[in-house]
């Protein structure tokens, strides 16, 4: 007998001794002379030779990954514990194993250990090592460790977690195994995880998996004090230092460490410690995480899957191009409408097995031979392995000739430049290529000199094919001297578009094929891909993926917006032709991206607006001058251009171009001096946004000319920038009177109408207009405000990005601080500079407020919290008094920037002098700065109509944190108080005095007046709508906020006497109804759902409004706000103590009895509105489990959309679906104490109605119902319900009769004194629909482990609603991917499935289980009648499971699905589709449904 030993065909063989540092099985397989000779004799070597008297060779990649080379004597030696010379000692080596389910659906695995035992998960039975399909090194052995299952780490999880993953897997599963050759014991986790200097990289990854799993499953311990918001036993177990040290001494700590004098550690997890209250919150189950060990062992591979290929004619007719790499055989291309395409084969898939034979390491010839031997139908096991597949392109590029791909080495020229003008890049969907050539200093050229149109594919060997233009420019800028460029000549490129390279399918063009792979890799690195799957834990939309729904993805496909796309496990993935880079995903507010997308779709955009990256020349000048400006009535214009150093551009800057923005700061309508001042303070380089002179928009008056009343998107953005800049830099004129607090010459120039018209006649206004009889205008003369504002047009630029990163070095004296104030910013996704000390080290270095800190001392801190950034700054200052930063401006935080003075009261000087450089702002909160004033037509107005005490103020605070929003606190309160003089409020007089009480003025000046923000948020109490015009509902967006009246009453009664009018539920319902009547969208928010998942509900709310969700909406500063109403001290005490939505459970409180009737009155209205809320009928637990994505709240999808608006009958009351419910005291709820029937309606007839009613009544009698409606009454209600829904065909009815309401919760029928409850639930449900069965192809069945109830326990002839005996088998069927499960009786004979009766046909004899243990179905009886009519022999008897396995045909019967063929039972193939006899019976049944049944009247 031979021993099967792991010999990897990819590792060469040798008979020489092993040298220092070499590892057996890694560098070579070290064999004896005898072993090598044996392999030669077995013809197992692909090649062999001799060098210095030692043999060398390479194995053939065979159908098996293993070669047997040892005999019985060798086996005896191994059993004695001696390692054989030449045997692979794979201790602690990772491999991938693919297992398949056995015939019984089981994996045949026995596993022991797990976190609960403090041990590694191990294979524990040498006779149960699974059905192994593919192994990458050797077959499994006892004591091997299970590290990951389908990529999900289980290295440090409980054994139940691993079993759950296996139970829910498909037919096959990929298991990452830690091979532990020579180890014959358990692996204690605490010993195993300890690092060792001899650990391999693989073993380090495994230990990291164990460590992370334990940290995810347990609550760590610490000796520090809890921080704000942390909960003991949830975030950490907070213990004293003495207690921690005692735990260490007692050996209770699994792993621990010390940082800044604070201990951190993780306790050992055992069965005993898990039961200690308050010690470990390990019961909170975390989600599975991706295994690092699996990811490194199997880089970027997918789980294996089985494809069924149907074709004849060998490999040539398959329609797939195969290539061989060092990693195996891969599919490189698939022909459309070929057998390979129909089976689901696609490029990038590795072929692992062909019809059950392992070919994972076989040659291309072997795979082709196996495919040529197969005909008709066969199975392929495949998986995606893009990293290995990319080696194919590497092989191709090695064959590219020097005449096509060229290498050029350049040095900087006399002007310290490269002489290269570049264009293209992923932003434009093109390769980066040469636009113009200047003074190029060649060092070496392997071919010809560079020419315009040559494409750059690599810089110093780093691929840039598919990179952004900015990335290439930065790489060139960072080289001080020589740089090597790899280029493809222009004559060899038919198109510079990236999409052309992705679709260059000709494999003979090896240049394009290799370049395509480079483009693919670079594009994936520099862009954010799209997917239709839901975000996983820790993933952020726009960073890891753009998460969109399937319909949006398909539309993008149809629009040709994808370079490449594909489908994996039912999920679509794709890369867009132009996409936001991952580094920019946390940059500008995402609402701007909509503008960019809209403009980018227009032709010619790239020629008009562009971004130029410019560097100072040797003299420190920019190489151009400016003219024009607001004082000249013109856009700023570029003049006297004298060889500027342009680092990157879409086209060169030229005379006459108009300057729109400097580093994102808009100067479109700014004075000349303002722009010159910005350029003076910039560092070595600057980003300019330019409008081409060809746009012919230099005159500011022309920008607002009457001929531009319907501007295109580009001109509209330019108008918005110019208008906003003018308002920032010039004080506008108006004819209205000053309001309280306004100052002439500061807020407006207040002039008479005559003066205004005189100025207009003289042409002094750039723009003027009239609003509500008041004139407004902006002149070219007036006081300067000199404010900076972020440019809209910069986002319109063809480079479309936030400001590029810049390096800054801060140096300070011995006792000098850096002088920085930093803070976390949600919009930036990290830490930003919010203040700098005047004349301090940071300011001298060029640090400015609004900068996002990307790197500190070369390390990435772009998304790190402020404490870690502060610590890094502190360490750098302590070390050498200097630090190098990489920063970028973030537009969303630039408006918040400010400069600090070391003597200012703004921040105490002692704080500025802190060694950490962090300053905490302790001032009273300021209202955030707002964007420039928005025109009434462009401002999004959001009206919140709330019931009181419903978290409306918290929602207002949330919107106030947005960078584009201004909030208004109950602006109609004064108007309402004036209409209700009897309403008692302690602040009445102050509100009436401060607010507009005239309804016309309120609407014109406040609710419809100018707003200095893009979004205006008006918080109202619903009752304040009284007296306001209904046409207000035709404008803006209206949100209704409601809360459970029990919670509202408990809060309200502390301040005022409650009543139906004060609680405003009826007012909220009136607003809701009026909106629906006017065809307007009414957005409803449930306050309790908002409290449980504020991020998800706010994201969905913003999506419904049409604005982008901003993460800073989730938190606000504690304390009063300047935009609070004067009633805040009375009502806002609790919200002033908050800093966000409180997701914790509210304190239970008793509701006084006198309020019960008021709760009932309000509850009906609350229920009506809540049914329409975002997230509607989802439970809080389901809502809490969802992740935030662009899809918003994920609502269930109905199998048939028509059923969303059906009417159901409940005890004779026709009820809309949203309100179709029975009481919690109904017997059906209390104990499943009800009977039911399923009916079908065909072509205006109810089929078998009498038989169904007979069984319903018989079942009710058997259960002793006291109140049973007559058959006529039931029929009448069924017909009435169908008529109300206009249903005549393709309908299924669920008819339920319960024992009725109880007087108290109990199973005792004596408490049923109200009479029975009849429910008629009709649904549109075609016979072969989503919710039924496939009656053409058929279904797969398994056998359930549960037995059918015998009559002595519960007679199956009673058609009752207590269906747990049926539901449990259905769960098993779902888990196994089957339609239903066959149920056996207590003696092991077949009864029926969990939902249907079952028939079998053998030798033209039809047999079905006798109705002893099963329900005698009406469709079953009809089928028996049809068989007899057709002259078929029918046997009703006991049927064994093996008879079903061996049957010629099997089908099931039921009212919902009719007759459904079965093609597989327990893995045994029965029949493909419906057999001939089954089809004959189906045809007869369908004919009967067309003619028979109780006819419906006309309606």
């Amino acid at each position: 007998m031979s021993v099967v030993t792991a010999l990897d065909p990819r590792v060469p063989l040798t008979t020489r001794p092993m040298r220092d540092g070499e590892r057996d099985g890694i560098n070579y397989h070290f064999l004896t002379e005898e072993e090598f000779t044996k392999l030669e004799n077995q013809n197992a070597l692909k090649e062999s030779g001799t060098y210095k008297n030692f043999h060398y060779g390479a194995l053939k990649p065979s159908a098996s990954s293993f070669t047997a080379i040892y005999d019985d004597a060798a086996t005896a030696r191994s059993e004695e514990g001696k390692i054989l010379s030449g045997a692979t000692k794979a201790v602690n080596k990772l491999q991938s194993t693919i297992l398949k389910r056995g015939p019984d659906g089981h994996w045949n695995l026995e596993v022991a250990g797990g976190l609960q035992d403090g041990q590694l998960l191990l294979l524990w039975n040498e006779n149960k090592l699974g059905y192994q399909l593919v192994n990458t090194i050797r077959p499994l052995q006892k004591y091997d460790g299970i590290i990951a299952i389908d990529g999900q780490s289980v290295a440090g999880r409980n054994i139940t977690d691993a079993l759950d993953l296996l139970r829910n897997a498909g037919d096959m599963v990929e298991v990452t195994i830690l091979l532990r050759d020579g180890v014959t014991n358990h692996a204690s986790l605490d010993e195993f995880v300890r690092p060792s200097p001899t650990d391999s990289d693989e073993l380090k990854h495994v230990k990291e998996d164990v460590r992370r799993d334990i940290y995810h499953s347990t609550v760590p311990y610490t000796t520090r004090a809890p921080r704000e918001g942390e909960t003991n036993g949830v975030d950490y177990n907070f213990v004293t230092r003495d207690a921690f040290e005692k735990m260490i001494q007692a050996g209770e700590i699994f792993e621990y460490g010390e940082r800044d004098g604070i201990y951190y550690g993780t306790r050992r997890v055992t069965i005993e410690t898990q039961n200690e209250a308050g010690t470990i919150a390990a019961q909170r189950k975390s989600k599975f995480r991706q295994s690092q060990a699996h990811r490194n062992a199997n880089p970027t591979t997918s789980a294996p899957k089985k494809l069924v290929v149907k074709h004849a004619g060998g490999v040539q007719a398959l329609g797939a191009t195969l290539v061989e790499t060092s990693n195996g055989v891969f599919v490189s291309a698939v022909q459309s409408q070929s057998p390979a395409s129909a089976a689901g084969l696609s490029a990038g898939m590795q072929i692992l097995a062909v019809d059950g034979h392992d070919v994972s390491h076989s040659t291309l010839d072997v795979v082709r031979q196996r495919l040529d031997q197969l005909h008709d139908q066969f199975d392929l096991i495949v998986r995606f392995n893009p990293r290995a597949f990319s080696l194919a392109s590497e092989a191709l590029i090695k064959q590219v000739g020097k005449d096509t791909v060229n290498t050029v080495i350049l040095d900087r020229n006399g002007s310290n430049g490269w002489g290269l003008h570049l264009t293209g890049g992923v932003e434009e969907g093109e390769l980066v290529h040469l636009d113009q050539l200047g003074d190029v200093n060649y060092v070496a050229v392997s071919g010809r000199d560079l020419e315009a149109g040559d494409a750059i594919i690599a810089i110093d060997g780093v691929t840039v094919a598919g990179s952004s233009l900015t990335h290439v420019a930065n790489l060139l800028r960072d080289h001080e001297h020589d740089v090597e460029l790899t280029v493809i000549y222009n004559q060899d490129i038919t198109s510079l578009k990236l999409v052309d390279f992705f679709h260059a399918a000709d494999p003979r063009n090896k240049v394009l094929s290799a370049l395509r792979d480079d483009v693919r890799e670079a594009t994936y690195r520099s862009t954010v891909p799209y997917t239709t799957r839901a975000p996983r834990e820790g993933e952020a939309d726009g960073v890891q993926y753009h998460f969109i729904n399937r319909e949006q993805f398909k539309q993008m496909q149809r629009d040709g917006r994808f370079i490449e796309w594909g489908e994996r496990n039912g999920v679509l993935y794709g890369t867009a032709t132009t996409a936001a880079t991952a580094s920019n995903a946390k940059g500008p507010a995402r609402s701007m991206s909509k503008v960019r997308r809209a403009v980018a779709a227009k032709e010619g955009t790239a020629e008009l607006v562009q971004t130029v990256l410019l560097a100072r020349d040797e003299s420190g000048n920019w190489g151009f001058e400016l003219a024009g400006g607001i004082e000249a009535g013109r856009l700023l214009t570029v003049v006297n251009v004298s060889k500027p150093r342009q680092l990157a551009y879409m086209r060169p800057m030229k005379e006459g171009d108009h300057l729109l923005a400097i580093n994102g700061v808009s100067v479109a309508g700014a004075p000349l001096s303002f722009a010159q001042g910005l350029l003076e303070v910039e560092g070595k380089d600057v980003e300019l946004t330019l409008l081409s002179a060809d746009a012919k928009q230099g005159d500011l008056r022309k920008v607002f000319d009457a001929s531009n009343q319907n501007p295109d998107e580009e001109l509209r953005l330019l108008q918005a920038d110019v208008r906003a800049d003018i308002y920032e830099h010039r004080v506008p004129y108006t004819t209205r009177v000053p309001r309280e607090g306004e100052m002439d010459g500061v807020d407006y120039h207040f002039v008479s109408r005559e003066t205004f018209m005189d100025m207009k006649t003289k042409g002094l206004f750039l723009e003027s207009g009239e609003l509500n009889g008041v004139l407004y205008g902006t002149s070219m003369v007036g006081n300067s405000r000199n404010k900076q504002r972020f440019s809209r047009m910069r986002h319109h630029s063809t480079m479309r990005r936030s400001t590029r990163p810049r390096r800054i070095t801060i140096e300070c004296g011995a006792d000098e601080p850096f002088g920085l104030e930093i803070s976390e910013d949600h919009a930036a996704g990290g830490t930003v500079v919010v203040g700098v000390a005047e004349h301090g080290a940071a300011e001298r270095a060029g640090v400015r407020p609004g900068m996002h800190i990307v790197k500190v001392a070369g390390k990435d801190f772009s998304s790190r919290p402020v404490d870690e950034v502060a610590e890094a700054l502190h360490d750098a200052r302590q070390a050498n008094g200097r630090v190098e930063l990489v920063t970028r401006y973030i537009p969303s935080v630039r408006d918040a920037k400010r400069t600090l003075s070391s003597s200012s009261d703004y921040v105490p000087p002692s704080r500025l002098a802190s060694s950490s450089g962090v300053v905490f702002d302790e001032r009273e909160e300021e209202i955030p700065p707002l964007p420039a004033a928005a025109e009434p037509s462009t401002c999004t107005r959001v009206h919140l109509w709330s019931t009181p005490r419903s978290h409306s103020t918290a929602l207002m605070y949330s919107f106030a944190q947005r960078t584009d929003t201004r909030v208004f606190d109950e602006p109609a309160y004064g108007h309402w108080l004036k209409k209700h003089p009897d309403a008692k409020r302690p602040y009445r007089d102050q509100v009436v005095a401060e607010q507009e009480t005239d309804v016309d003025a309120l609407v014109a000046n406040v609710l419809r007046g100018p707003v200095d923000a893009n979004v205006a948020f008006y918080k109202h109490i619903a009752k304040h709508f009284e007296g306001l015009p209904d046409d207000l509902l035709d404008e803006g967006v209206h949100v209704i906020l409601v809360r459970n009246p029990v919670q509202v009453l408990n809060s309200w009664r502390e301040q005022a006497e409650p009543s139906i009018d004060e609680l405003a539920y009826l007012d909220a319902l009136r607003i809701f109804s009026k909106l629906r009547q006017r065809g307007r969208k009414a957005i409803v928010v449930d306050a309790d759902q908002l409290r449980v998942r504020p991020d998800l509900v706010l994201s969905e709310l913003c999506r419904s409004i049409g604005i982008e969700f901003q993460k800073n909406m989730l938190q606000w500063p504690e304390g009063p706000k300047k935009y609070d109403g004067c009633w805040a001290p009375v009502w806002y005490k609790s919200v002033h103590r908050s800093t966000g939505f409180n997701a914790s459970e509210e304190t239970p409180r008793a509701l006084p009895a006198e309020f019960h009737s008021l709760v009932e009155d309000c509850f009906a209205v609350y229920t009506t509105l809540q049914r329409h809320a975002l997230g509607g009928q989802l439970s809080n637990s389901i809502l809490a489990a969802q992740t935030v994505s662009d899809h918003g709240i994920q609502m269930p999808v109905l199998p048939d959309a028509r059923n969303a608006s059906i009417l159901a009958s409940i005890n004779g009351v026709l009820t809309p679906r949203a309100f179709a419910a029975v009481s919690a005291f109904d017997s059906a709820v209390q104990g499943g104490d009800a009977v039911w029937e399923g009916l079908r309606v065909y072509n205006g007839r109810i089929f078998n109605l009498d038989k169904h009613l007979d069984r319903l009544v018989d079942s009710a009698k058997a259960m002793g119902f006291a109140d049973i409606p007559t058959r006529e009454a039931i029929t009448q209600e069924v017909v009435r319900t169908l008529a109300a829904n206009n249903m005549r065909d393709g309908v299924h009815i669920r008819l339920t009769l319960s024992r009725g309401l109880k007087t108290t919760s109990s199973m005792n029928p004596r408490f049923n004194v109200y009479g029975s409850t009849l429910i008629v639930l009709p649904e549109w449900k075609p016979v072969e629909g989503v919710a039924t069965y496939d009656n053409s192809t058929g279904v797969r069945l398994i056998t359930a482990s549960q037995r059918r109830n015998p009559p002595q326990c519960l007679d199956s002839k009673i058609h009752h609603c207590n269906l747990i005996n049926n539901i449990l088998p259905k769960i098993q069927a779902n888990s196994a991917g089957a339609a239903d499960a066959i149920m056996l009786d207590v003696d092991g004979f077949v009864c029926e499935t969990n939902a249907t009766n079952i028939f079998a046909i053998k030798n033209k004899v039809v047999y079905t289980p006798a109705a002893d243990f099963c329900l005698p179905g009406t469709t079953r009886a009809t089928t028996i009648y049809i068989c007899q009519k057709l002259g078929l022999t029918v046997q009703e008897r006991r049927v064994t499971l093996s008879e079903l396995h061996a049957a010629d045909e099997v089908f099931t019967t039921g009212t919902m699905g009719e007759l459904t063929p079965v093609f597989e039972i327990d893995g045994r193939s029965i029949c493909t589709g419906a057999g001939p006899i089954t089809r004959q019976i189906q045809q007869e049944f369908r004919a009967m449904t067309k003619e028979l049944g109780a006819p419906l009247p006309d309606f």
Side-chain angles (χ1 to χ4, degrees), residues 1083-1162:
I1083 304 171
V1084 181
V1085 175
D1086 184 281
D1088 291 324
Q1089 291 182 333
L1090 177 63
R1091 176 181 57 80
V1092 171
R1093 278 303 302 274
D1095 55 343
L1096 189 62
V1097 175
L1098 285 174
S1099 174
E1100 176 71 11
L1101 176 59
C1102 291
R1103 196 173 73 93
S1104 301
I1105 292 171
I1107 59 178
E1108 295 291 337
F1109 168 60
Q1110 297 180 5
K1111 289 186 178 180
N1112 48 346
M1113 297 175 69
L1114 298 173
Q1115 292 180 318
W1116 51 82
E1118 185 179 358
K1121 313 294 184 288
K1122 290 191 175 182
Y1123 43 82
D1124 284 343
C1126 62
W1127 50 88
V1130 177
W1131 295 102
Y1132 295 178
K1133 294 176 183 177
S1134 61
V1135 74
H1136 282 169
R1137 293 192 297 269
S1138 71
T1139 58
F1141 295 95
N1142 184 11
S1144 61
E1145 292 296 327
E1146 298 179 347
T1147 304
R1149 301 175 63 184
L1151 182 69
E1154 62 267 23
F1155 295 136
H1156 286 182
S1157 59
L1158 183 55
V1159 167
E1160 291 180 2
D1161 294 341
C1162 297

Side-chain angles (χ1 to χ4, degrees), residues 584 586-590 592 596 663-665 687 788-792 794-795 801-804 825 827-828 832 849-852 888-897 929 931 963:
N584 287 341
K586 296 180 180 179
R590 294 186 59 202
M592 294 298 182
R596 295 200 299 273
N663 270 344
V665 176
E687 176 196 276
Q788 294 184 6
R789 186 190 61 77
F790 189 73
S791 167
R792 293 174 176 84
R794 179 170 173 274
H795 286 274
R801 57 175 184 81
S802 63
T803 57
R804 105 186 132 75
D825 184 87
V832 298
M851 285 183 171
H852 173 210
R888 74 162 77 226
Y889 275 111
I890 298 296
S892 59
V893 298
R894 285 179 67 103
D895 289 335
K897 67 183 188 177
T963 58

Side-chain angles (χ1 to χ4, degrees), residues 1215-1398:
T1215 311
R1217 176 194 178 103
F1219 301 93
V1222 296
S1223 168
F1225 287 91
D1226 193 275
S1227 293
V1229 179
Q1230 290 287 315
D1233 187 4
V1235 295
W1236 71 281
E1237 286 295 321
L1239 309 175
R1240 268 213 173 272
V1241 180
Y1242 299 93
N1243 195 27
R1245 296 174 179 272
I1246 307 175
F1247 191 63
N1248 279 342
L1249 175 62
D1250 291 338
K1251 294 180 181 179
H1252 283 290
L1253 293 183
D1254 288 343
R1255 188 169 62 188
L1256 181 77
V1257 173
D1258 290 346
S1259 296
K1261 288 180 178 179
M1263 291 179 62
F1265 280 23
D1267 176 41
I1268 303 175
T1270 65
R1271 289 171 173 78
E1272 293 75 16
I1274 297 173
T1275 302
Q1276 182 179 355
E1277 194 57 35
V1278 169
V1279 171
R1280 191 169 76 98
T1281 307
L1282 290 172
N1285 289 280
N1286 195 22
M1287 291 176 165
R1288 303 188 65 86
D1289 191 27
V1291 177
H1292 180 269
I1293 303 170
R1294 175 82 175 211
L1295 189 63
T1296 305
L1297 182 69
S1298 86
R1299 201 181 297 271
L1301 288 174
K1302 294 179 178 292
T1303 57
T1304 186
S1305 176
S1306 171
M1307 73 168 67
N1308 194 341
R1310 289 186 178 180
F1311 294 111
N1312 290 89
V1313 295
Y1314 294 97
S1316 59
T1317 301
L1318 178 65
I1319 303 171
V1320 182
L1321 176 59
E1323 288 184 283
W1324 300 103
K1325 192 173 293 186
V1327 172
E1328 293 192 53
V1330 177
T1332 53
Y1333 304 102
D1334 186 343
N1335 289 351
S1336 300
T1337 304
V1339 297
R1340 176 186 292 109
L1341 302 180
I1342 64 167
T1343 302
S1345 59
Q1346 281 82 14
R1347 293 297 189 255
R1348 199 71 173 93
N1349 291 322
Q1352 61 264 38
C1353 297
L1354 181 60
D1355 193 347
S1356 296
K1357 294 178 179 60
I1358 302 175
H1359 207 199
H1360 56 84
C1361 287
N1362 200 326
L1363 298 177
I1364 190 65
N1365 189 236
N1366 304 69
I1367 293 171
L1368 290 175
K1370 182 64 176 178
I1371 294 173
Q1372 290 185 37
N1374 290 344
S1375 300
D1380 278 325
I1382 297 171
M1383 300 186 70
L1384 309 179
D1385 62 25
V1386 293
D1387 295 324
F1389 291 95
V1390 176
C1391 291
E1392 58 184 344
T1393 75
N1394 55 276
T1396 58
N1397 295 121
I1398 192 166

Side-chain angles (χ1 to χ4, degrees), residues 414-473:
S415 302
N416 200 31
W418 298 107
L420 306 176
H421 293 177
L422 306 177
T423 186
V426 71
E427 306 95 326
E428 295 303 310
E430 293 181 340
L431 289 170
V432 176
H433 57 279
L434 299 174
D435 180 35
Q436 297 180 26
L437 292 171
D439 181 13
V440 180
N441 183 8
Y442 293 98
V443 176
V445 179
S446 62
R448 63 162 172 77
D449 289 349
L450 300 177
E451 294 180 359
D454 289 350
I456 298 178
I457 62 173
I459 297 177
D460 278 347
V462 177
T463 180
V464 294
S467 296
S468 66
L469 180 62
T470 309
H471 176 62
V472 175

Side-chain angles (χ1 to χ4, degrees), residues 143-194:
Y143 304 118
D144 285 346
I146 299 179
I147 304 304
I149 298 174
D150 272 344
Q152 307 296 307
S153 176
V154 295
R157 305 284 298 218
N158 292 329
I159 190 171
T160 54
D161 295 334
L163 296 178
D164 284 344
L165 284 176
L166 289 171
R167 187 179 300 113
N168 295 323
D171 294 335
M172 291 175 293
V173 68
E174 181 182 32
V175 184
T176 305
I177 298 292
L178 179 67
L179 306 181
R180 303 176 70 240
D181 293 352
V183 181
T184 58
N185 58 2
H186 272 304
S188 174
L189 282 179
D190 57 341
E191 295 177 1
F192 175 80
V193 82
R194 292 173 186 167

